[in-house]
Amino acid sequence: MLRSRVIPCLLVHDGGLVKTEKFSSAKYVGDPLNAVRIFNEKKVDELVVLDIDATVAGRGPDLDLVAKLTKECRMPLCFGGGVSTVEDGLNIVSLGVEKVALSHAAISNPGIITDMAAAIGSQSVVVIVDVKKTGLLGRYSIVTHNGQTKWPVELSEYVSRLENLGAGEVVVNSVDRDGTMSGYDMKLIDQVREATSLPLTALGGAASLDDIRALVERHRIIGAAAGSLFVFKGPYKAVLISYQNLG
Amino acid sequence: MIGVVNYGSGNVAAISHVLYQAREPFLLVDTPGQFAECERVILPGVGHFDTTMTMLEQSGLVNALLKTVAEGKPFLGICVGMQILGRGSDEGVKSGLGLIEADTVRIDSTRLANKPYTPHLGWNSVTLKSHALFADVNAASGFYFLHSYHMACDHQENVLATTEYGDTLVCAVQQGNVYGVQFHPEKSHDNGVSVLTNFCKMPC
């Protein structure tokens, strides 16, 4: 039977592994390649690595970083950050990455999802949706550029279009829960699950394996991604790369 | 010496790394003449069926590859590398290599009780026929899958392994000396390493 995936999500900033809180205050955590090596030993289900500088800096994907990651990475890998052209996707996949993540490019130029799928196969096209509560009513808004830019498109409406555009997976990332270890935003995840039949991965807020279990119990098959949970230990957030899946 | 066909498909590097760590001597095959140095061949493949077939055709390796298969050397196609061993795929318009009597068809979402539907993504358990390719493989932990299309064989005797996803999907095939696996052994930790090293050790 297909199992839910438990997925560490690593953020890279200035070449180093960082952890953010609500998409800011990036705290240096260590060397991304070292983290990958540790995750290899722990037989991690899948890994997501995101370069959080690329889009803001207006540049394409860091292929040097990708090459270093793929040399080490023995588990399925999804890479994102600055991907905006089909050539970017082809370059990344040819280095040995299973999936390419689009975030800003997907919402600013949805046709890229279709073109990317035609080139690398839709199973390899992941759309990341960063969501933040905005306004007096705290509505869910889609944001990009590390939470700085808000998009005037309704969340469910956007997510519902992704499958037909050619995406293979959706990652819903809660800016408000990011780094807070206050639990997944179940209401947000429910809403996104409702809007698409694509494989879904939730990110933002996981504090414990119990949070992951609760997510999986609710949705049966889902990707449970987490950053802080696998990178910090204890109330003072000491850096410790760790991992546990549901077995 | 194992030949890994190097025609531009993404999973060459990951496959090579597993072989390197397992101390299995291998050669990246980019020219037709190199097949002669290999006693067995692995054909990687990821992405879109048509793109993969096009890249293989453009590599100039198809004739030498087919000749190698005809010589009886063990041959293993991985993921889309398995799908292109068949006649063709619903995903595209190009013909496959026609080495396995099978077609590749879209996974039927209507057979899945709950979301998500396709692609078949993640770790799934498998049912294995008893075969040297699967020695030491834990069927319950299975392998990593990432695909929206699956192979449908004409003959049940060519099916070597299956996995449950709505329907029973074929996930490994054999026709003579030609083998194929739908899952990603290069990214399936211990089970994947076992499959790759077992292939390397199978008698020629």
Side-chain angles (χ1 to χ4, degrees), chain B residues 94-150:
Chain B
K94 290 191 78 74
S95 297
L97 296 168
L99 294 169
I100 305 244
E101 285 162 71
D103 298 302
T104 293
V105 299
R106 208 179 153 97
I107 289 174
D108 186 354
S109 310
T110 65
R111 303 281 293 152
L112 290 152
N114 301 97
K115 293 177 181 180
Y117 300 140
T118 54
H120 176 211
L121 155 60
W123 290 80
N124 203 347
S125 51
V126 291
T127 303
L128 306 166
K129 265 194 197 158
S130 174
H131 193 286
L133 190 64
F134 302 130
D136 298 323
V137 171
N138 180 328
S141 32
F143 300 92
Y144 184 80
F145 289 86
L146 178 61
H147 61 117
S148 302
Y149 294 81
H150 71 99

Side-chain angles (χ1 to χ4, degrees), chain A residues 52-63:
Chain A
I52 64 172
D53 298 335
T55 295
V56 167
R59 61 163 171 78
D62 182 349
L63 296 178

